[in-house]
Amino acid sequence: MSLLIVTCALFVGSHLILSHPLREPLAGRMGERAFQIVYSVVAIATLVMVVQAWRSMPPEPPLWAVDDPLWALASLIVLVASILFMGSLVGNPALPAPGAAATAQRAPRGVFAITRHPMMWGFALWALAHALVMPTPAQLVLSATIAFLALVGAAGQDVKKAKQMGDAWRHWTARTSYLPFARQFGGAAPWGDTIPRGHALWGGIVVWLIATWAHGALGYIAAGIWRWI
């Protein structure tokens, strides 16, 4: 457990440090391409360390009973996470693309009307679902690590993008929310805007079906609808 906690701390710490305080000085000195290579190597190496530490944990008894209703809830959460993730791949000004500033001027619709960080919240929801149905200390540490990195990273991304994109990003943040559905509950935006677009909805369903099928096919616990088919 100590090794798992240390490797998780390295994984999160290296991501946050390289993504924010060290990004500009290192990228300026090394060049953007070289920095991306270093960043990717560090990310992969620390992730492998986390996975190896997690796999080396001895069997642990679950902290609570997991029944079919809890599995159904977790499966629904993963479906929502998949829709958020697929929706985040199109029309996302947070992604490094040449037209990001122009994209930020568009009216937020679909998953971006829910939150301006649909990808990060998708990761956090994925982590929550796994914690619900695999309630062991090791899995809770791993899920907490992923959720923390996603949500703290999203907050840091707001600061970084404001520096990089200036008024374009500030205009985007003024019409979107960090917390899901915050603008709808506050009466600042209509609920109809949050209906996922086709690529998010159908793409998310396909990803969910494939991912949950693969969960059982690869030798892990059967997940999603495949538990009952």
Side-chain angles (χ1 to χ4, degrees), residues 125-207:
L125 289 175
W126 176 90
L128 172 62
H130 281 73
L132 289 176
V133 295
M134 294 184 64
T136 64
Q139 182 60 50
L140 295 183
V141 169
L142 181 60
S143 292
T145 297
I146 294 171
F148 178 85
L149 179 59
L151 299 183
V152 172
Q157 188 179 70
D158 280 340
V159 177
K160 180 176 68 177
K161 289 297 181 179
K163 293 180 179 178
Q164 294 176 345
M165 297 173 60
D167 290 340
W169 186 258
R170 284 187 282 272
H171 184 59
W172 180 246
T173 59
R175 296 174 299 133
T176 57
S177 62
Y178 172 87
L179 294 174
F181 300 110
R183 288 177 59 80
Q184 285 73 34
F185 281 114
W191 287 92
D193 289 350
T194 65
I195 299 174
R197 299 296 180 89
H199 68 276
L201 178 61
W202 298 112
I205 292 174
V206 169
V207 166

